[in-house]
Structure formats: structure tokens, C-alpha cells
Amino acid sequence: MVPHLTTALTGPLLALEANFLDATPDIERWLRGMWQEHTPPFYGSVDLRNSGFKLAPVDMNLFPGGFNNLNSAFLPLCVQAAMTAIDKICPSAKSLLLIPENHTRNLFYLQNVAQLVAILRLTGLNVRIGSLLPEIVKPTPIELPNGTTLLLEPLVRSQYRLGLEGFDPCVILLNNDLSAGIPAVLQSLEEQFVLPPLHAGWAVRRKSTHFAAYDEVAGEFAQLVGIDPWQINPYFAVCSSVNFYERQGEECLSSSVDAVLGLIRKKYKEYGIEETPYVVVKADAGTYGMGIMTVKDASEITGLNRKQRNKMSVIKEGVNVSQVIIQEGVHTHERVGKEDQEGVAEPVVYMIDRYVVGGFYRVHSGREKDENLNAPGMRFEPQAFETSCSLPDQCQNPDAPPNRFYAYGVVARLAQLAASLELERTTPAAVEDMAVSL
């Protein structure tokens, strides 16, 4: 299924896709060189927004939870990429412990876990699932709608290793984003690989750190292919010491919103864009679409009512919001679905290691092109990507499906590269070295 675009592709985005198409050898050579210097995260998913004049990432998830939404035709890609990732980390690995989110009732999420298990088992690994939930005190089967069964088992911790009863894995794969903090059972492990590393979890990670790294990557890439980096990179600012309950930090928020909107207006004027600029204010840590609001004028920040402040104050696991990122809003002009179910859509691209392994559209019929789509009422179109995001076709138009999806894949891989830089710079050792140098 190819998305229906409400804007004619005769403007900057068509030129951007044409540029990517012309520069394909240079792009792939450059990315190959970058991956020789940097280790990609084990997996990740990137939320993209396509405005018709800009194609940019707006979020990067290092614990992706939607593998069940991928087209089944991409399963071989997933397995091959997972094999590559495991071989680089631990070539002799025989067993893997998967630790999921603490969801036992969210069957959609558990189908993602089941798909992950299937992918990893096809790499030749013995895979079992360990739960952080205290109520899981014995092997607990959970029936899924498709007839399969997941077996959740209680974790068993020795002095320096983590496993299950009678199961001592080589690798621990987290599909839990650690929003509530790093559990003691995961700390101080030795001789076991934990993927992604603990500092990739939201207890430590910050979106602003990722987008600072992405800013560097986008700048270097833009110079390589001869484009304005703004075409693939959203402006952003950060405010700390925020308390929405007590209206603390409103001055920082208001001035930062005003500054980012000013930068956007300049670019819109430069490109002759008539859209209304907006920013997205969201918690600097966390996911699940919580703690997010769209703002078109700085005065909206100082006029939040109690309901709005309550909504912005807490994210997943009841964690209070104290720092926010103010990010340039990117309109989405893509629409997917039949007339009675058509909704605005954004592509989500999935990667394992350095490889694009598929994607889908997040669609919301009740939201507008300048609103967050990761909200109740969204749906996924799992068969949206008819072709791999890695195979452009020089014989077709720049906006033909293979080339549109190639552009998605390029920008997603830039975000994955930024994530690798981010994780390198935020390892406990790197942070300690930085503190000593200061």
C-alpha cells in the first residue's frame, strides 16, 4: 500500500528523494564507513514525519515493541540481521534470555514478544522469557489470540549472572525500556552481554542527547549529498527544572517555544512554505505517547489548565516530568486507508543492527497532520511497505514506492547512527571520563 499524499510531489521533498537516488553509491559507502567506526544498537525503530517539504525523525526507540506489525515477508531480513548482530557480540552464543515489559494483559505487545522470540530462535538460539514482575513466581503460560503460547518464567539471580531455573544464558536482550529505573537484578552483571546496554533505558537516556547526536550526523550527511540539513533535521531546545503541577519553568518553556518557532518561520519563509509552524513539547525521557502537547504560540504554555498540566506532569510508570524537549513539529501529509477509515499517517521504520528490516504506518483517523499520532485510537497498517527500504530503483520516478521507502530507510539509518554515537557518549565510563576532564 502506497500512502496517498495530499501535496503534489513537485517541491523540495521530490527533489530530496531525487537527490538520495542520485547519491545512492555515496550514501551507502559513507554509511558503511560509519558502521566500521561505530557499533549500532541491537535494534531500534524510528518515527518519521513526511511533510511534503521535509522528511525527518521525531523519535528513536531503542526497545521497539511492534515487530508483530511488520510484513511477514520481511521475516528473512529480520533473521539475517539478528544473526549479524549476535555474531558480532558473541559468536559462540547458544542461549538468550528475553526480558519484556511488565505487560501480561496487553496482548498486542505480547504478540510482539512472540514475534521477537520466533526471529531469535531462527538464528539458532535457545530463547526463553524472564519476567521482572514479582507475581511471576513460577512458569506462567499466556495464551495469545493467534493460538500461540508464551511462557513467562521467574528470574534467578546468582552473584554475577542472571538466568532462569536451569537456564544460564550467554546474552540478555531487553525489550523493557526501564522507564521505572534499573532493577537491582540487572545491575552488576559480569560475563553476560546485556542488549541494549542499561544506560539506553529511559532511567538514564534523554531524547535531547539523541537529537544532539543526530544534529551532527545530519550535518555531515547533508554536506555529503548537498542538501540543507534542515530538510532532514528538526530544530529543538531543552528545558530543565520543569514542574507542570507547580508551574515551575514556564519562563524557560515560553522563551524556548518562541525561539524554536522563530527558527521555523525563517525556514518556511526561505522555502515559501505556507503551513503554520508548530512545536511539540514532550518529556525528555519516556515513550508510549505520554507527556506530549502541540504548541503553535508561546502563550499556550503559560495558559495551561489543570487537566493539561496533569497530562504533562507524569509519563509511563508514574514517573514525574522534570525536563522537556521542545521539538520542531513536522506536519505529516501522508494519509492511509479507505475513505471511511482514512487517517493521517507516519512511517515507522524498524532496524536490527545496521539493517532496515521493515516498517509500517501508524495511522490515526481522529488526529490532524500537526498532532501526535501515538495516542489511543491509532492503528497500524502492517503491509504498508511493499518493498524493502534498501532497494531504490533508478528506472522509476523519485517518488515511486521503492524510492520513497529508500528515503525513509536512509533517514532511519541516520537516526540509528546517531543512537550509536549517543550510547557511546553516555556509557558510564565515558561520562566518568568527561567528569574528570571537567
Side-chain angles (χ1 to χ4, degrees):
M1 180 191 304
V2 181
H4 166 66
L5 297 181
T6 59
T7 52
L9 286 177
T10 55
L13 189 61
L14 182 62
L16 184 67
E17 290 173 334
N19 195 304
F20 284 6
L21 201 57
D22 291 341
T24 296
D26 294 332
I27 290 172
E28 298 304 324
R29 184 167 55 249
W30 181 80
L31 283 169
R32 189 169 66 249
M34 290 294 102
W35 293 129
Q36 290 173 356
E37 299 177 18
H38 306 285
T39 301
F42 181 83
Y43 52 13
S45 66
V46 183
D47 294 352
L48 301 176
R49 302 277 287 205
N50 177 354
S51 66
F53 53 84
K54 180 169 186 160
L55 176 63
V58 294
D59 208 359
M60 173 82 210
N61 186 0
L62 295 180
F63 303 86
F67 279 93
N68 56 307
N69 293 318
L70 300 182
N71 189 325
S72 59
F74 294 142
L75 181 60
L77 287 177
C78 293
V79 174
Q80 289 179 333
M83 281 183 177
T84 299
I86 294 294
D87 284 347
K88 286 195 300 188
I89 297 158
C90 185
S92 60
K94 297 180 181 178
S95 55
L96 180 144
L97 175 64
L98 177 62
I99 299 181
E101 294 281 357
N102 293 339
H103 301 317
T104 56
R105 299 178 185 173
N106 186 336
L107 296 181
F108 291 107
Y109 172 73
L110 292 176
Q111 288 178 72
N112 155 74
V113 175
Q115 184 68 359
L116 261 178
V117 169
I119 290 167
L120 294 166
R121 283 178 176 163
L122 286 170
T123 69
L125 291 170
N126 180 16
V127 183
R128 288 166 68 176
I129 306 169
S131 176
L132 291 167
L133 286 168
E135 59 264 32
I136 301 295
V137 295
K138 63 180 181 179
T140 304
I142 297 179
E143 300 291 333
L144 299 182
N146 61 2
T148 60
T149 301
L150 283 184
L151 185 67
L152 302 185
E153 300 183 66
L155 295 169
V156 176
R157 174 68 191 252
S158 61
Q159 186 175 5
Y160 295 119
R161 296 181 72 85
L162 181 65
L164 308 174
E165 184 69 35
F167 183 71
D168 185 24
C170 315
V171 179
I172 298 168
L173 179 63
L174 299 176
N175 199 241
N176 183 310
D177 64 22
L178 307 179
S179 290
I182 301 173
V185 73
L186 289 173
Q187 298 179 26
S188 303
L189 295 173
E190 295 184 3
E191 300 177 358
Q192 282 176 303
F193 294 94
V194 179
L195 305 171
L198 296 180
H199 66 279
W202 288 122
V204 178
R205 187 179 180 230
R206 296 294 177 265
K207 296 178 183 181
S208 53
T209 306
H210 171 77
F211 281 100
Y214 182 80
D215 189 62
E216 296 179 34
V217 170
E220 186 174 342
F221 177 82
Q223 187 173 14
L224 171 77
V225 299
I227 61 172
D228 181 349
W230 175 76
Q231 291 181 281
I232 56 171
N233 188 14
Y235 290 124
F236 76 94
V238 183
C239 282
S240 304
S241 302
V242 172
N243 187 318
F244 285 96
Y245 280 130
E246 300 179 7
R247 295 187 179 276
Q248 292 179 3
E250 283 190 348
E251 184 177 340
C252 175
L253 283 168
S254 179
S255 61
S256 296
V257 166
D258 206 38
V260 175
L261 284 173
L263 292 171
I264 301 170
R265 290 189 188 103
K266 287 182 181 178
K267 281 295 181 182
Y268 279 18
K269 183 176 181 180
E270 177 183 341
Y271 283 92
I273 297 165
E274 297 181 359
E275 298 282 6
T276 301
Y278 73 100
V279 299
V280 177
V281 179
K282 53 187 174 182
D284 204 18
T287 182
Y288 281 72
M290 301 176 72
I292 297 178
M293 66 180 299
T294 297
V295 179
K296 297 179 181 177
D297 189 273
S299 62
E300 298 173 34
I301 284 292
T302 55
L304 296 181
N305 58 38
R306 180 182 295 274
K307 182 178 179 181
Q308 290 170 318
R309 285 187 281 122
N310 288 343
K311 178 184 175 183
M312 292 296 296
S313 294
V314 179
I315 55 173
K316 183 187 172 191
E317 304 286 359
V319 176
N320 290 327
V321 174
S322 61
Q323 182 166 303
V324 299
I325 179 172
I326 299 94
Q327 186 180 67
E328 174 186 353
V330 181
H331 301 82
T332 178
H333 281 255
E334 297 188 90
R335 302 187 71 86
V336 169
K338 298 178 181 178
E339 290 185 9
D340 58 338
Q341 290 186 323
E342 187 184 65
V344 292
E346 62 186 13
V348 184
V349 177
Y350 272 59
M351 289 160 291
I352 297 177
D353 197 77
R354 63 179 184 172
Y355 303 102
V356 173
V357 296
F360 52 82
Y361 282 94
R362 178 184 288 116
V363 186
H364 204 303
S365 300
R367 292 290 175 108
E368 299 298 327
K369 63 185 180 181
D370 58 358
E371 293 185 292
N372 170 42
L373 304 186
N374 189 3
M378 68 178 172
R379 69 181 192 274
F380 303 106
E381 296 287 351
Q383 297 181 356
F385 288 4
E386 294 177 336
T387 63
S388 164
C389 292
S390 304
L391 297 174
D393 188 344
Q394 300 276 355
C395 297
Q396 297 192 51
N397 292 330
D399 60 341
N403 301 327
R404 166 65 45 78
F405 300 150
Y406 178 67
Y408 291 164
V410 168
V411 176
R413 284 183 287 166
L414 296 180
Q416 184 84 329
L417 176 57
S420 71
L421 297 178
E422 170 197 358
L423 293 180
E424 288 170 13
R425 295 169 183 176
T426 55
T427 60
V431 172
E432 185 177 335
D433 289 344
M434 185 178 297
V436 170
S437 68
L438 293 175

